[in-house]
Amino acid sequence: MVGFDNLNDYYDVSLKEARLRLLEEDPNFQFVRGDLADQAVVQSLFDDHGFVRVVHLAAQAGVRYSLSHPHKYAQSNVVGFLNILEGCRHSAAEHLVYASSSSVYGANATLPFSEHHNIDHPMSLYAASKKANELMAHSYSSLYELPTTGLRFFTVYGPWGRPDMALFLFTKAILDGTPLQLFNGGDMVRDFTYIDDIVEGVVRVLDRPAEPNEKWSAFSPDPATSYAPYRVFNIGNSAPVQLLDFVRALEAHLGRSATIEYLPMQAGDVRATKADVSELERAVEFRPSTSVNEGIRQFVDWYRGYYHD
């Protein structure tokens, strides 16, 4: 097993290095440091290892960050993904599984979000880059019969998570006694999905390479499938929670009260998300099920242990 990352400073590098040390305890794991946008480096990586299956989770993340640093998204999420596709193509990989995002649903307000919905109206460059990944993957599935599966993650949280995500930010604010920010006056709903459920879904999908849909019709095209070996799936808990309720659950586990600053809706944000996971369940007999209460408890235990708080 080979891991590849540039360990950039988008967030605390020491957290990334601590994760990496855990992975390196496995004698079957090898880490290579490099940038996905460097074509020569990625080509060399594939030449050296001849990967059979590839899980591509690397990307420049964050909706709000894309408003101020748009070029980073083009380099990492578009150029970097192209290099992965080329590597898979030339090494004849059996399956590429890659991270998409619930953000691709954009201005669509029909809940729950279904893979069969149109996703032509992204509300941020980050979302547009993730839709671009799905389109690029389809072109390689069509041209080169490369099996590709895109996974639309819904608000992933849990131990070792990103410090720019809501749970991390809220926990730090409550423990520091500083105000935490709730946008749209607190009227935001998210389909929080625990990391262990995400991992289980990735592994199950990886073992089931995408196949052509023999019933696919060019006269009524289904966005979720194709005449090519291409699929997209939602991975979400399918049990959305209002952010204010999320904060109350966090307060209970921390044993402290939050000071809340209510702010307007931010550019690029959507009010609510909810995943329809019926396609995932049909395909791999799995649906995320970890409750937000249990997931928050696991995160708080990790946070206090890691930061000695």
Side-chain angles (χ1 to χ4, degrees):
M1 183 186 302
V2 178
F4 183 81
D5 197 273
N6 64 3
L7 300 182
N8 66 31
D9 62 358
Y10 170 63
Y11 62 82
D12 184 9
V13 176
S14 66
L15 179 62
K16 298 181 179 184
E17 292 172 338
R19 290 194 201 118
L20 182 56
R21 285 193 293 272
L22 288 177
L23 291 171
E24 290 178 328
E25 292 176 2
D26 185 338
N28 296 314
F29 177 81
Q30 176 185 350
F31 178 69
V32 178
R33 184 165 183 168
D35 192 333
L36 283 174
D38 188 326
Q39 180 181 352
V41 169
V42 176
Q43 180 179 330
S44 177
L45 180 73
F46 276 85
D47 289 344
D48 290 345
H49 297 280
F51 300 117
V52 175
R53 296 181 184 179
V54 176
V55 178
H56 174 59
L57 305 177
Q60 178 56 63
V63 169
R64 294 181 190 124
Y65 193 69
S66 70
L67 305 180
S68 56
H69 297 79
H71 293 90
K72 290 183 180 294
Y73 290 78
Q75 283 297 111
S76 180
N77 299 7
V78 179
V79 175
F81 189 60
L82 175 60
N83 290 336
I84 290 292
L85 287 169
E86 278 289 285
C88 290
R89 168 196 173 191
H90 291 294
S91 65
E94 292 179 0
H95 195 193
L96 167 62
V97 175
Y98 61 95
S100 184
S101 168
S102 61
S103 296
V104 300
Y105 289 104
N108 177 19
T110 302
L111 296 176
F113 292 150
S114 166
E115 301 93 333
H116 304 289
H117 290 167
N118 179 282
I119 57 167
D120 284 341
H121 299 88
M123 295 177 66
S124 69
L125 184 63
Y126 169 69
S129 74
K130 287 300 185 178
K131 175 173 180 177
N133 287 172
E134 295 183 5
L135 296 174
M136 293 164 71
H138 185 272
S139 70
Y140 272 68
S141 295
S142 177
L143 288 168
Y144 309 114
E145 297 185 351
L146 170 66
T148 66
T149 303
L151 301 177
R152 295 173 179 170
F153 295 160
F154 280 69
T155 316
V156 185
Y157 75 102
W160 300 99
R162 284 181 11 226
D164 63 321
M165 296 292 281
L167 181 55
F168 218 112
L169 293 171
F170 293 171
T171 299
K172 187 176 188 306
I174 292 172
L175 291 176
D176 290 349
T178 58
L180 62 82
Q181 298 179 335
L182 289 185
F183 297 100
N184 198 37
D187 185 19
M188 302 284 278
V189 178
R190 288 292 179 269
D191 197 351
F192 292 98
T193 312
Y194 190 62
I195 183 60
D196 288 12
D197 288 332
I198 292 289
V199 172
E200 179 70 18
V202 169
V203 171
R204 290 197 184 210
V205 167
L206 185 62
D207 288 337
R208 297 285 294 272
E211 297 179 349
N213 177 5
E214 295 179 355
K215 296 181 180 180
W216 192 89
S217 170
F219 296 99
S220 181
D222 174 15
T225 64
S226 176
Y227 57 86
Y230 165 90
R231 285 300 306 262
V232 290
F233 292 111
N234 291 332
I235 297 191
N237 209 43
S238 201
V241 175
Q242 189 165 34
L243 281 190
L244 192 57
D245 292 334
F246 191 75
V247 171
R248 297 307 180 215
L250 180 57
E251 289 175 319
H253 285 287
L254 290 172
R256 299 190 189 184
S257 297
T259 301
I260 300 175
E261 179 183 4
Y262 293 98
L263 296 174
M265 190 75 155
Q266 296 291 288
D269 271 351
V270 297
R271 195 195 71 80
T273 64
K274 180 181 180 180
D276 178 346
V277 294
S278 56
E279 292 291 353
L280 179 72
E281 189 170 19
R282 271 192 288 269
V284 297
E285 299 178 341
F286 171 74
R287 63 184 296 131
S289 59
T290 304
S291 70
V292 163
N293 189 60
E294 174 61 17
I296 289 176
R297 184 188 69 77
Q298 295 275 7
F299 174 82
V300 168
D301 288 347
W302 168 81
Y303 188 98
R304 284 185 150 152
Y306 183 78
Y307 289 105
H308 307 291
D309 200 325

